[in-house]
Amino acid sequence: MSDKNYSFFGAVERSFDKAARFTKWDSGLLNHIRQCNAVLQLRFPIKRDNGEIEVIEAYRVQHSHHKTPCKGGIRFAAEVNQDEVMALAALMTYKCTIVNVPFGGGKGGIKIDPKKYSVGELERITRRYTSELIKKNFIGPGIDVPAPDYGTGEREMSWVLDTYVSMRSGELDAAGCVTGKPITQGGVRGRREATGLGVFYGTREVCNIPDIMSKLSLPLGIENKRVIVQGLGNVGYWAAHFFQLAGAKVIALAEYEGAIFDEKGLDVEAVFQHRKKSGSILNFPGAKHIKHANEALELECDILIPAALENVINEENAPRIKAKIIGEGANGPLTPEADDYFAKKGTIVIPDMYLNAGGVTVSYFEWLKNLSHVRYGRMEKRFTENVHSSILNQIEELTGKKSNAHARELIMRGPDEVDFVYSGLEETMINATHEIMTVWKENPAIPDMRTAAYVVAINKVAIIYAELGIFP
Ligand code: NAD
């Protein structure tokens, strides 16, 4: 298996086909599911600050309309091309399906290196792109809902929203046309840490499955597990933070400038602050340096979380990786060759399509918040606190014992928005884990968890078409 001449979309199709063999669906239906339903190619002009006109290349792909709206980020990168946007849109369909988020997959891309443009130029590009999407009916709370991706964030999502609102004046649900917005513009609390938190919940759930842990000769649970994280960015930092909070030992952290190691466990927040201050992860007090950052991936550990880049684990270094569990925080950190290697070796690879779905899950919560026009917790927080208070008072009166101030505060507390978001995400990741594991257990010929995840996704999309009667 060393034909590497497949495109990114080709690689997704390849994984799809590998899994489709384990489903019962007709080849015509499977072929329909794989294809992108709509591909929008755009070329539009913008005026640079120096007065020159530049033609911008951009895309929006809606991979699947089995559920609407479509959902997926907008990427600003010099490498953007149609094949990549199609592949990412397809992965979004499967990702949303796996975590039971009722969207079809979508993705957008603008072929620019954002570092080479001023803020004013980026704003003009984002606004023009949005107005092109509006003209083509490729954006809207019930049509297609973008979000941040590489090179974009809350700022760009604000521009998308403002452009949409100004062109669709009076549309009641307009705030739901994009997610990943700042809280002041309809964003949801907990969105920023959502992907890293989802990585933690998903990995923890796998570590709670007795069969898997006994096959790996590891004790159940997350406590004291030795974890290595590559990338201290949005996904890696939050994942490492939540692992440490749950009692795991983050023994190594790798960044592009190098890696550090401490068998006793690193203080993630202290490392993060040290890097912020000094500009480097290196020279953290008490930690050992690892000469080449990538060597950190090869250290003895229980859980390895690559959360930086794609293709960092490939056929060259896979044989040196000692982790028993690899949790794909990043998109595509393993090449198909590495994947095949670990499937044979028995290493559990928790696939990106499922493990890093926390972002889109919480985007779904943001979209629901926008459609309901009310902050989570606003209606019930005070009521819940009053009920809890009455119950506690009754218990204290009947038993004649007073609870201490800390316990009282814990019991009394009504939920805030962030509590709903965290618990909704936790429930989502736990359910998704068990859906994937059940399919894998029922069909032991399935080689790995990624293929099992694809089987779950294909079945859920196919059943919708089958029930619609489109395919007998
Ligand atoms: P980010 O830019 O915040 O963080 C990436 C980090 O990796 C940076 O700190 C960077 O310095 C570091 N890095 C770069 N090269 C490295 C190297 N060679 N070795 C070690 N570290 C290196 O990006 P992010 O949002 O955390 O995304 C990381 C990955 O997760 C990407 O693959 C992205 O597609 C995926 N992802 C992100 C989200 C999200 O919500 N942010 C959701 C799903 C998937």
Side-chain angles (χ1 to χ4, degrees), residues 75 95 148-150 191-192 194-196 230-237 254-258 275 293-294 306-310 312 329-332 356-357 359-360:
R75 171 173 289 208
K95 184 178 282 193
D149 195 70
Y150 276 128
R191 172 69 177 80
R192 210 165 281 162
T195 306
Q230 182 197 36
L232 207 52
N234 181 272
V235 179
Y237 164 71
E255 256 295 336
Y256 70 87
E257 68 271 14
R275 184 166 191 254
N294 274 356
L309 307 166
E310 64 280 3
V312 288
N331 277 320
N356 68 27
V360 72

Side-chain angles (χ1 to χ4, degrees), residues 213-225:
M213 289 300 105
S214 86
K215 264 189 212 139
L216 298 175
S217 309
L218 286 174
L220 268 183
I222 208 80
E223 225 173 309
N224 291 321
K225 290 260 183 326

Side-chain angles (χ1 to χ4, degrees), residues 31-252:
N31 199 24
H32 173 63
I33 295 171
R34 276 146 140 240
Q35 305 300 328
C36 290
N37 289 171
V39 179
L40 179 66
Q41 250 192 47
L42 294 164
R43 299 288 185 278
F44 55 81
I46 64 126
K47 201 176 241 175
R48 302 278 320 238
D49 291 342
N50 64 7
E52 276 174 23
I53 302 289
E54 185 175 318
V55 178
I56 302 289
E57 179 181 332
Y59 301 89
R60 183 74 193 173
V61 172
Q62 296 173 350
H63 171 258
S64 179
H65 292 153
H66 76 288
K67 292 224 167 148
T68 48
C70 290
K71 186 93 191 76
I74 304 173
R75 171 173 289 208
F76 285 4
E79 299 75 29
V80 161
N81 60 69
Q82 185 173 317
D83 177 81
E84 179 188 81
V85 183
M86 285 169 63
L88 293 166
L91 287 173
M92 282 303 294
T93 293
Y94 309 131
K95 184 178 282 193
C96 289
T97 311
I98 287 166
V99 288
N100 294 311
V101 163
F103 297 136
K107 202 80 183 184
I110 302 186
K111 191 177 171 58
I112 53 163
D113 175 351
K115 289 197 261 342
K116 296 190 176 148
Y117 293 79
S118 69
V119 173
E121 288 170 338
L122 289 173
E123 178 171 354
R124 290 200 287 283
I125 294 169
T126 310
R127 287 185 181 276
R128 178 64 191 248
Y129 176 71
T130 309
S131 60
E132 293 292 330
L133 296 182
I134 296 169
K135 279 194 275 178
K136 306 288 187 309
N137 213 19
F138 259 71
I139 185 171
I143 299 168
D144 193 344
V145 181
D149 195 70
Y150 276 128
T152 58
E154 289 181 6
R155 180 184 66 180
E156 285 72 18
M157 301 309 111
S158 303
W159 292 331
V160 171
L161 175 66
D162 189 55
T163 309
Y164 186 86
V165 168
S166 63
M167 289 177 74
R168 291 265 197 264
S169 150
E171 194 178 297
L172 189 62
D173 292 331
C177 77
V178 63
T179 61
K181 304 178 290 289
I183 306 284
T184 51
Q185 294 188 47
V188 74
R189 287 159 187 85
R191 172 69 177 80
R192 210 165 281 162
E193 64 269 38
T195 306
L197 181 59
V199 167
F200 164 70
Y201 283 146
T203 311
R204 185 192 65 184
E205 202 48 30
V206 169
C207 290
N208 284 338
I209 300 176
D211 282 3
I212 302 272
M213 289 300 105
S214 86
K215 264 189 212 139
L216 298 175
S217 309
L218 286 174
L220 268 183
I222 208 80
E223 225 173 309
N224 291 321
K225 290 260 183 326
R226 292 165 311 153
V227 181
I228 295 176
V229 179
Q230 182 197 36
L232 207 52
N234 181 272
V235 179
Y237 164 71
W238 284 109
H241 166 87
F242 289 112
F243 274 114
Q244 187 186 349
L245 204 65
K249 280 199 277 183
V250 179
I251 59 167

